[in-house]
Amino acid sequence: MSWRWNAPPGTPVARRQTARKVIVSFLVGVLCLGVAWAGNGLVPVRDLIEDGTSSGAGFVGLEQSGSGAEEDSSNAAALEPLQAGQIYAGAAKVSLLPRPDDYKADFPGAEWQRDHCTTAPSETPDEENYQEYPGYAQGVVENNIHNETHVSDFRVRWNEHSNCIYMGGYGLGPMFPITKWDDNDDPAWEGAESTHGNYGLWTRSIAMSDGSETVVLTLIDAVYWEAHYNNMCDGCGFIDLTKQLAEETKLPEESFIFASTHSHTSPDFIGGWGGVPPWYMQQATDSLKASATAALDAMQPAVLEVGEEIVRARNAERRDFYRSAEDDNMSWFRLIDADSERPEVCTTPTPSPSPSKTKGPKRPPPSPAPVPTPVCEPGSPGQAIATVGAFAAHPVTADESSGIGDADFPAVFAKSVEGRFGGVGMFLQTGLGNVSPRGSKVEMGDGLASLIPPLKAGSQITEPDLRVGRTFWDQPATNSALSALGAAGFFDRPFNQAPASVSVGKGGEENKKCRSASPTSVRTSVSALKIGSLWITGGPGELFSNLSNTIEERNPNGITLALGLVNDGLGYIVQSFETDHVGRQAVGFVGKAGPVGLSEYEDAYSIDHCFGDATLEHTLGLLGSL
């Protein structure tokens, strides 16, 4: 099944035409890619897609093979014309709960393996470790006994079971398999809602159009999702998906913007911690596309409002050897169904008739009948189609040892705003690279969500003209360890064996610019869009806060969401004046966690000292061109 948009929104639309073998500790640290990179129509996606235009947690059915579902033609006709100050908007989300049975036709051995998953380390754990990490230790013991059940997945560079789903972002290699899902539709959930919340993991999409240009912002609960892949899938990278969706919808490629939440207890979609099975990679890919097209299909006239708060109590910088600026700005925007608002209506009852005159003794004239009191029916500000928040803080508050696939505090935020306002909630990261959270999963999610004011209490964008763009460049890769192992496929992001150079910086003083050159490079991009005074930008990794702060201050009279982990996942993105050159040449692998503390560990996962400068300058240049 596929959706096709052969004309811009507002005109008639036709839709649905269809190892752990490592020799030395240094090499181990490199291979995991980890610790800091931490912290064809569509097959059926799910019986239900949650649609942001429905009330509460309403659902709209997806067409499925053999289901006999009738095609929804709600947007097949021309959309309702926009009134002044309105924009078209739609939202949808698709559950990522694993469904191997739906993929057995293409992947005959598809199953969700929940035991015999952990194969590292090889030593037998002691009782203390067994109690602390039950899934981890039990898996080691069981794999030593049941080796015949173990089949390696050669798409990744670890010795793990090919049908296991691993968390991304904690430990080393396939340490933490996901054995339960934060969703009571999972039979293994067993009432854990009381302690874990039943928030689920999702792909979420929001579509917006001014009738001329259109943008779809899609978010997946994942540590990373790459622009392109070597082995884990064929053509499922974020940039690959923009090309596919552009062909299917007839919208420009830059209209599609993808991002990751960076929740560490969500699945590992890059292979650094064991990865996911091929059938589940396909399910996640289908879910990304399905939520994007469903959001387009759900578009209707809406009102856009924005706001921001300074939130110093919820994050803090975390660098070891120098102070760094954190981004404590929580920005948000909300789309409200333009047809759902109901004004207060007051009616005055008909006055009682005056008493009739009668014969008899004279009496005082009757008192006039009291003036009837108006009866008022309360108004309603309407219902949200989507509510989106953005803040900087690593999602590392969920419990990795529980074995529960968990989307961390971004899921708490989303569920909270959905319950208050309706529609679809979404939480994205800004300059999280050097920033840690303050508070538990619930404290973070509910605390940030509580800052969103009631409907119609934000600042309305009265001229929501939309412009969107994307620009690419070849970034030199001078991190010796990451460049060599990335080129060799030890983490699943292709590097180019082609030279590249950059000379970037503010102003025209050449001696002040950051310069870099390398025989190895990576092609990457930034995205940006403007909707009136609302700006949204996206960098290809974990932006440091100085970078996001700099982008935000370029829009002093508006609201800016300077997002990271957009359209790519290339580690930490640090500006040259903040970088630790020693840490970037492998030493950082033992920096923060090492006994000596030699260097900053984030730099070990930064591909080049000019990467932050190049990302910033390309973003500002793109904004200037819109």
Side-chain angles (χ1 to χ4, degrees), residues 359-375:
K359 294 181 179 180
K362 291 185 178 181
R363 295 188 179 98
S367 300
V371 177
T373 302
V375 177

PDB file of all heavy atoms in Angstrom, residues 359-375:
ATOM      1  N   LYS A 359     -60.947  41.561  38.497  1.00  0.00           N
ATOM      2  CA  LYS A 359     -61.844  42.394  39.302  1.00  0.00           C
ATOM      3  C   LYS A 359     -61.737  41.994  40.762  1.00  0.00           C
ATOM      4  O   LYS A 359     -61.495  40.836  41.082  1.00  0.00           O
ATOM      5  CB  LYS A 359     -63.272  42.238  38.822  1.00  0.00           C
ATOM      6  CG  LYS A 359     -63.507  42.776  37.433  1.00  0.00           C
ATOM      7  CD  LYS A 359     -64.966  42.610  37.041  1.00  0.00           C
ATOM      8  CE  LYS A 359     -65.213  43.178  35.654  1.00  0.00           C
ATOM      9  NZ  LYS A 359     -66.637  43.040  35.237  1.00  0.00           N
ATOM     10  N   GLY A 360     -61.983  42.912  41.615  1.00  0.00           N
ATOM     11  CA  GLY A 360     -61.943  42.614  43.041  1.00  0.00           C
ATOM     12  C   GLY A 360     -61.359  43.788  43.804  1.00  0.00           C
ATOM     13  O   GLY A 360     -61.198  44.902  43.275  1.00  0.00           O
ATOM     14  N   PRO A 361     -61.092  43.539  45.054  1.00  0.00           N
ATOM     15  CA  PRO A 361     -60.537  44.647  45.862  1.00  0.00           C
ATOM     16  C   PRO A 361     -59.238  45.155  45.266  1.00  0.00           C
ATOM     17  O   PRO A 361     -58.480  44.407  44.644  1.00  0.00           O
ATOM     18  CB  PRO A 361     -60.313  44.004  47.230  1.00  0.00           C
ATOM     19  CG  PRO A 361     -60.882  42.646  47.175  1.00  0.00           C
ATOM     20  CD  PRO A 361     -61.184  42.298  45.771  1.00  0.00           C
ATOM     21  N   LYS A 362     -59.029  46.411  45.460  1.00  0.00           N
ATOM     22  CA  LYS A 362     -57.792  46.978  44.951  1.00  0.00           C
ATOM     23  C   LYS A 362     -56.596  46.427  45.729  1.00  0.00           C
ATOM     24  O   LYS A 362     -56.623  46.370  46.957  1.00  0.00           O
ATOM     25  CB  LYS A 362     -57.821  48.504  45.054  1.00  0.00           C
ATOM     26  CG  LYS A 362     -58.807  49.150  44.117  1.00  0.00           C
ATOM     27  CD  LYS A 362     -58.707  50.654  44.186  1.00  0.00           C
ATOM     28  CE  LYS A 362     -59.668  51.314  43.213  1.00  0.00           C
ATOM     29  NZ  LYS A 362     -59.579  52.790  43.244  1.00  0.00           N
ATOM     30  N   ARG A 363     -55.592  46.022  44.961  1.00  0.00           N
ATOM     31  CA  ARG A 363     -54.350  45.511  45.562  1.00  0.00           C
ATOM     32  C   ARG A 363     -53.175  46.302  45.006  1.00  0.00           C
ATOM     33  O   ARG A 363     -53.276  46.898  43.932  1.00  0.00           O
ATOM     34  CB  ARG A 363     -54.153  44.040  45.251  1.00  0.00           C
ATOM     35  CG  ARG A 363     -55.209  43.132  45.858  1.00  0.00           C
ATOM     36  CD  ARG A 363     -54.780  41.677  45.632  1.00  0.00           C
ATOM     37  NE  ARG A 363     -55.740  40.764  46.215  1.00  0.00           N
ATOM     38  CZ  ARG A 363     -56.695  40.161  45.542  1.00  0.00           C
ATOM     39  NH1 ARG A 363     -56.826  40.404  44.253  1.00  0.00           N
ATOM     40  NH2 ARG A 363     -57.513  39.329  46.163  1.00  0.00           N
ATOM     41  N   PRO A 364     -52.067  46.272  45.697  1.00  0.00           N
ATOM     42  CA  PRO A 364     -50.881  46.946  45.129  1.00  0.00           C
ATOM     43  C   PRO A 364     -50.516  46.303  43.787  1.00  0.00           C
ATOM     44  O   PRO A 364     -50.721  45.099  43.581  1.00  0.00           O
ATOM     45  CB  PRO A 364     -49.783  46.696  46.170  1.00  0.00           C
ATOM     46  CG  PRO A 364     -50.497  46.348  47.422  1.00  0.00           C
ATOM     47  CD  PRO A 364     -51.784  45.689  47.004  1.00  0.00           C
ATOM     48  N   PRO A 365     -50.016  47.089  42.895  1.00  0.00           N
ATOM     49  CA  PRO A 365     -49.625  46.522  41.591  1.00  0.00           C
ATOM     50  C   PRO A 365     -48.574  45.427  41.787  1.00  0.00           C
ATOM     51  O   PRO A 365     -47.734  45.512  42.678  1.00  0.00           O
ATOM     52  CB  PRO A 365     -49.049  47.719  40.827  1.00  0.00           C
ATOM     53  CG  PRO A 365     -48.672  48.696  41.883  1.00  0.00           C
ATOM     54  CD  PRO A 365     -49.650  48.501  43.018  1.00  0.00           C
ATOM     55  N   PRO A 366     -48.655  44.379  40.995  1.00  0.00           N
ATOM     56  CA  PRO A 366     -47.670  43.273  41.149  1.00  0.00           C
ATOM     57  C   PRO A 366     -46.253  43.744  40.826  1.00  0.00           C
ATOM     58  O   PRO A 366     -46.047  44.649  40.019  1.00  0.00           O
ATOM     59  CB  PRO A 366     -48.163  42.230  40.143  1.00  0.00           C
ATOM     60  CG  PRO A 366     -48.924  43.012  39.124  1.00  0.00           C
ATOM     61  CD  PRO A 366     -49.560  44.156  39.863  1.00  0.00           C
ATOM     62  N   SER A 367     -45.310  43.122  41.494  1.00  0.00           N
ATOM     63  CA  SER A 367     -43.902  43.432  41.207  1.00  0.00           C
ATOM     64  C   SER A 367     -43.558  42.952  39.799  1.00  0.00           C
ATOM     65  O   SER A 367     -44.053  41.904  39.338  1.00  0.00           O
ATOM     66  CB  SER A 367     -42.984  42.723  42.211  1.00  0.00           C
ATOM     67  OG  SER A 367     -43.278  43.139  43.522  1.00  0.00           O
ATOM     68  N   PRO A 368     -42.738  43.718  39.113  1.00  0.00           N
ATOM     69  CA  PRO A 368     -42.351  43.273  37.762  1.00  0.00           C
ATOM     70  C   PRO A 368     -41.604  41.944  37.840  1.00  0.00           C
ATOM     71  O   PRO A 368     -40.885  41.657  38.792  1.00  0.00           O
ATOM     72  CB  PRO A 368     -41.449  44.403  37.262  1.00  0.00           C
ATOM     73  CG  PRO A 368     -40.964  45.094  38.487  1.00  0.00           C
ATOM     74  CD  PRO A 368     -42.077  44.952  39.510  1.00  0.00           C
ATOM     75  N   ALA A 369     -41.812  41.134  36.824  1.00  0.00           N
ATOM     76  CA  ALA A 369     -41.127  39.836  36.767  1.00  0.00           C
ATOM     77  C   ALA A 369     -39.615  40.071  36.690  1.00  0.00           C
ATOM     78  O   ALA A 369     -39.154  41.016  36.028  1.00  0.00           O
ATOM     79  CB  ALA A 369     -41.600  39.050  35.555  1.00  0.00           C
ATOM     80  N   PRO A 370     -38.832  39.257  37.394  1.00  0.00           N
ATOM     81  CA  PRO A 370     -37.368  39.457  37.341  1.00  0.00           C
ATOM     82  C   PRO A 370     -36.828  39.229  35.934  1.00  0.00           C
ATOM     83  O   PRO A 370     -37.362  38.427  35.167  1.00  0.00           O
ATOM     84  CB  PRO A 370     -36.845  38.386  38.309  1.00  0.00           C
ATOM     85  CG  PRO A 370     -37.925  37.358  38.370  1.00  0.00           C
ATOM     86  CD  PRO A 370     -39.203  38.103  38.203  1.00  0.00           C
ATOM     87  N   VAL A 371     -35.773  39.973  35.623  1.00  0.00           N
ATOM     88  CA  VAL A 371     -35.129  39.815  34.323  1.00  0.00           C
ATOM     89  C   VAL A 371     -34.454  38.449  34.280  1.00  0.00           C
ATOM     90  O   VAL A 371     -33.678  38.103  35.184  1.00  0.00           O
ATOM     91  CB  VAL A 371     -34.079  40.916  34.084  1.00  0.00           C
ATOM     92  CG1 VAL A 371     -33.372  40.696  32.748  1.00  0.00           C
ATOM     93  CG2 VAL A 371     -34.736  42.277  34.135  1.00  0.00           C
ATOM     94  N   PRO A 372     -34.747  37.634  33.291  1.00  0.00           N
ATOM     95  CA  PRO A 372     -34.146  36.293  33.250  1.00  0.00           C
ATOM     96  C   PRO A 372     -32.618  36.362  33.193  1.00  0.00           C
ATOM     97  O   PRO A 372     -32.037  37.245  32.559  1.00  0.00           O
ATOM     98  CB  PRO A 372     -34.718  35.694  31.964  1.00  0.00           C
ATOM     99  CG  PRO A 372     -35.948  36.490  31.672  1.00  0.00           C
ATOM    100  CD  PRO A 372     -35.652  37.881  32.183  1.00  0.00           C
ATOM    101  N   THR A 373     -31.994  35.437  33.898  1.00  0.00           N
ATOM    102  CA  THR A 373     -30.534  35.349  33.890  1.00  0.00           C
ATOM    103  C   THR A 373     -30.068  34.595  32.651  1.00  0.00           C
ATOM    104  O   THR A 373     -30.597  33.508  32.345  1.00  0.00           O
ATOM    105  CB  THR A 373     -30.031  34.613  35.139  1.00  0.00           C
ATOM    106  OG1 THR A 373     -30.485  35.313  36.307  1.00  0.00           O
ATOM    107  CG2 THR A 373     -28.508  34.516  35.144  1.00  0.00           C
ATOM    108  N   PRO A 374     -29.112  35.136  31.898  1.00  0.00           N
ATOM    109  CA  PRO A 374     -28.617  34.412  30.715  1.00  0.00           C
ATOM    110  C   PRO A 374     -28.044  33.037  31.107  1.00  0.00           C
ATOM    111  O   PRO A 374     -27.410  32.888  32.152  1.00  0.00           O
ATOM    112  CB  PRO A 374     -27.520  35.321  30.173  1.00  0.00           C
ATOM    113  CG  PRO A 374     -27.852  36.676  30.713  1.00  0.00           C
ATOM    114  CD  PRO A 374     -28.465  36.421  32.070  1.00  0.00           C
ATOM    115  N   VAL A 375     -28.279  32.075  30.270  1.00  0.00           N
ATOM    116  CA  VAL A 375     -27.738  30.736  30.456  1.00  0.00           C
ATOM    117  C   VAL A 375     -26.627  30.543  29.436  1.00  0.00           C
ATOM    118  O   VAL A 375     -26.852  30.676  28.221  1.00  0.00           O
ATOM    119  CB  VAL A 375     -28.816  29.650  30.282  1.00  0.00           C
ATOM    120  CG1 VAL A 375     -28.197  28.257  30.404  1.00  0.00           C
ATOM    121  CG2 VAL A 375     -29.919  29.850  31.301  1.00  0.00           C
TER     122      VAL A 375
END
